[in-house]
Amino acid sequence: MFAPLYAQAFQFQDVVEKAKSKASAAYEPVPGIPDFMAGLSYDEYQSIRFDPSKSLWREGDSRFQVMLIPAGKFYTRPVSIHVVDSEGVHPLSFDKSLFNVDDEALRKRVPADLGYAGLKLTFPFDGPDVANQFLVFAGASYFRGVSKETSFGLSARGIAVDTGLPTGEEFPDFTEFWLERPAPDSDHVRVYALLDGPSLTGAYEFTVYPGEQTRVDVKARLFMREDIELLGLAPLTSMFYYGEHTPRPLGEWRPQVHDSDGLLIHDDATGEWLWRPLMNPDRLAASFHSVRRVGGFGLIQRDREFRHYEDLEARYERRPSAWVSAEGDWGKGNVVLVEIPTDDETNDNIVAFWSPGGEVSAGTSRDLNYSIQFGGPGVAPHPGGKVVNTFVGSGDRIGGGDQAGAYRILVDFAGGPLSELNAESPVVSKVTGGEGVEVLEHFVEWVAPENHWRLSILAKPAPDQILQLRGFLMVDDEVATETWSYSLPPGTGLRAEP
């Protein structure tokens, strides 16, 4: 039986030394692929398909196997891949015969030394003879994960640099990977990665446990080449086109289209859980949520009803949520949410990350440990009542109110302590408005058909001001729910005019 001796062959510290050495020298990007490969159409690139029968480790009866991704189209910088086993560290040279290409002319043109763009890890979720893809590393520092019952959607990233700033974002790359070969009966697999970019380098160790929830334990050490204005740690990237609280674009028949519907944050110091519904703004928006000691944050796909999407191809109700759990005390800082305008669902326009307090200066280093859970909305260990719906409309019409320039906002809460209450229970609401926002009224109602509680708010922002609101429910002087935090900028199509 295969008996790995990984510690003798390769360790995280080996990647750390590489990253440290690179950080002391000028940045040199990895040479790109030939122009014709970068210029392939989407269909041409997709026609270059890896042969699953040639997956790495397939011959050793390992439950974990590796499929390889060819460089081309979006992936213009090839990566180096190595295998770590009991015999040492072995580079994985590009092998054109691992791929099937339908077009004979294209097959001949694919260079024999093209290089790999990344890798896909597989695990037998659906039976011993099925290799289900569950984690993909490809493109810059992106990696995507799923659990047994979810389908690919949002992505995680190794790092975010100056995301959302007017100066423009920097995209460091994972340039080199080391795959530690697992024992046949192992419940986890380990991947090391080297990050390189103009402003920093980094060493990463990913220990991955696939299952009902797929957990990725991340260890990283970063080395700064340059001062960084906005460093984003443990970033998540997703898509929000429109949802229940936004207008449906003209011509769209589907009720909602999004990979995630909200940002969830846990402040471990105060105990507060905060839910922020996502928006597709008219112009780029960045919000900074101050946290004393971050327990975790994540982009969540809370709405799991097919009828709320009606898309048999995309199956948005199956898209995974991702929850980042901080290990140790990360100190004071902000969970940053960047929302970018998009005209369709093909753009990942949502980014969330942790930004530390204080300067990030050239010549410094930073250690980071955290885990990411991919799975259903239960990936976050949230004990309180949760927001299940947010509806927004004008506050000057029947059912909304009689206040010109105001909004009627309905927020539905369910679960946690609310599950033990009845329609006569003394549930009260607490609502505050941001600068220039007048909260005209708020009250709570029991919604019998749905067995949940509804917070109804009438609020009026000053002209050309962002409508910012926070609200939660209390029972017997105790907080019973997460805090709903909402930000509605002008130009969303929901703007009530005075």
Side-chain angles (χ1 to χ4, degrees):
M1 179 178 292
F2 177 72
L5 299 171
Y6 306 131
Q8 297 179 17
F10 197 81
Q11 301 178 58
F12 175 63
Q13 187 60 32
D14 294 309
V15 192
V16 170
E17 294 303 324
K18 279 180 167 282
K20 184 177 181 180
S21 176
K22 276 188 168 292
S24 64
Y27 171 66
E28 294 184 7
V30 174
I33 60 176
D35 289 345
F36 87 88
M37 288 297 301
L40 293 178
S41 70
Y42 177 81
D43 289 339
E44 287 174 328
Y45 176 72
Q46 290 297 114
S47 73
I48 307 173
R49 303 183 311 278
F50 182 80
D51 183 350
S53 68
K54 299 175 181 177
S55 293
L56 195 65
W57 304 332
R58 184 182 180 91
E59 81 293 344
D61 295 326
S62 172
R63 293 194 294 173
F64 292 97
Q65 296 178 20
V66 183
M67 301 172 66
L68 299 166
I69 302 171
K73 185 58 178 174
F74 319 103
Y75 310 123
T76 59
R77 292 181 180 175
V79 301
S80 299
I81 300 177
H82 312 267
V83 174
V84 182
D85 58 26
S86 59
E87 297 179 355
V89 180
H90 316 282
L92 200 62
S93 299
F94 181 75
D95 186 349
K96 184 174 174 178
S97 69
L98 300 179
F99 300 90
N100 298 319
V101 185
D102 295 334
D103 186 327
E104 180 64 19
L106 177 58
R107 187 189 67 79
K108 291 179 179 179
R109 295 186 69 195
V110 173
D113 60 350
L114 175 63
Y116 300 115
L119 58 102
K120 303 176 182 180
L121 293 172
T122 69
F123 188 80
F125 283 148
D126 297 330
D129 298 324
V130 181
N132 299 107
Q133 298 177 29
F134 73 93
L135 192 67
V136 179
F137 289 91
S141 68
Y142 287 85
F143 57 100
R144 298 190 299 156
V146 295
S147 60
K148 183 177 181 181
E149 300 298 332
T150 59
S151 303
F152 282 106
L154 86 174
S155 301
R157 291 159 65 176
I159 204 73
V161 178
D162 293 343
T163 305
L165 296 185
T167 51
E169 181 172 2
E170 178 183 315
F171 289 92
D173 298 300
F174 284 139
T175 60
E176 200 164 1
F177 292 94
W178 293 263
L179 311 177
E180 189 176 273
R181 181 169 183 165
D185 59 349
S186 178
D187 65 347
H188 68 277
V189 64
R190 184 168 290 120
V191 178
Y192 302 98
L194 176 67
L195 180 89
D196 196 15
S199 296
L200 81 170
T201 67
Y204 287 76
E205 176 186 290
F206 302 94
T207 306
V208 190
Y209 300 82
E212 298 295 333
Q213 292 183 5
T214 291
R215 189 178 90 237
V216 182
D217 293 337
V218 183
K219 179 193 297 185
R221 184 170 298 171
L222 305 173
F223 298 92
M224 314 304 162
R225 272 198 181 101
E226 306 288 346
D227 295 345
I228 297 177
E229 183 175 353
L230 183 60
L231 180 65
L233 304 177
L236 303 172
T237 299
S238 191
M239 179 276 294
F240 183 90
Y241 184 23
Y242 61 94
E244 65 190 14
H245 60 283
T246 70
R248 185 186 301 180
L250 184 65
E252 280 287 354
W253 56 268
R254 295 167 296 178
Q256 302 182 55
V257 175
H258 50 74
D259 285 336
S260 306
D261 51 13
L263 168 68
L264 183 64
I265 302 170
H266 181 217
D267 188 331
D268 208 29
T270 64
E272 182 182 50
W273 291 81
L274 183 142
W275 175 257
R276 166 69 153 73
L278 299 177
M279 291 290 295
N280 178 7
D282 183 59
R283 50 185 177 269
L284 187 145
S287 54
F288 292 73
H289 302 269
S290 178
V291 182
R292 276 200 258 166
R293 187 174 68 243
V294 63
F297 67 93
L299 292 175
I300 310 297
Q301 183 74 318
R302 196 169 268 182
D303 193 334
R304 313 298 290 178
E305 296 284 343
F306 172 78
R307 61 190 174 89
H308 294 166
Y309 305 96
E310 294 292 347
D311 194 323
L312 280 170
E313 182 178 355
R315 299 302 301 269
Y316 287 111
E317 80 282 0
R318 289 178 52 86
R319 298 299 169 100
S321 299
W323 179 252
V324 174
S325 297
E327 184 178 321
D329 187 353
W330 288 9
K332 291 182 180 180
N334 296 284
V335 175
V336 181
L337 175 65
V338 178
E339 296 165 302
I340 304 166
T342 183
D343 293 328
D344 60 44
E345 64 204 271
T346 62
N347 299 312
D348 282 346
N349 64 320
I350 303 294
V351 188
F353 53 85
W354 169 256
S355 180
E359 297 182 353
V360 180
S361 303
T364 62
S365 63
R366 181 180 294 268
D367 291 313
L368 191 66
N369 293 276
Y370 60 96
S371 66
I372 306 176
Q373 299 268 17
F374 293 99
V379 292
H382 182 354
K386 301 171 181 63
V387 175
V388 293
N389 295 307
T390 298
F391 303 113
V392 183
S394 291
D396 61 352
R397 62 187 62 194
I398 295 175
D402 59 1
Q403 294 289 324
Y407 293 85
R408 175 65 65 182
I409 302 103
L410 306 176
V411 187
D412 292 340
F413 293 87
L418 301 179
S419 302
E420 302 175 4
L421 306 180
N422 57 53
E424 305 303 320
S425 297
V427 181
V428 298
S429 57
K430 299 292 183 181
V431 177
T432 56
E435 183 179 354
V437 175
E438 182 181 3
V439 179
L440 301 171
E441 69 175 22
H442 61 91
F443 57 88
V444 185
E445 296 179 284
W446 167 249
V447 184
E450 299 290 345
N451 294 316
H452 60 226
W453 295 86
R454 174 165 291 174
L455 167 59
S456 182
I457 305 169
L458 185 65
K460 183 178 180 179
D464 299 321
Q465 288 289 313
I466 297 174
L467 175 66
Q468 293 183 321
L469 292 165
R470 288 168 61 95
F472 56 90
L473 303 185
M474 299 187 70
V475 180
D476 296 329
D477 295 325
E478 296 287 337
V479 175
T481 69
E482 64 194 9
T483 300
W484 168 84
S485 176
Y486 193 65
S487 181
L488 181 66
T492 58
L494 284 169
R495 197 71 178 173
E497 298 297 336

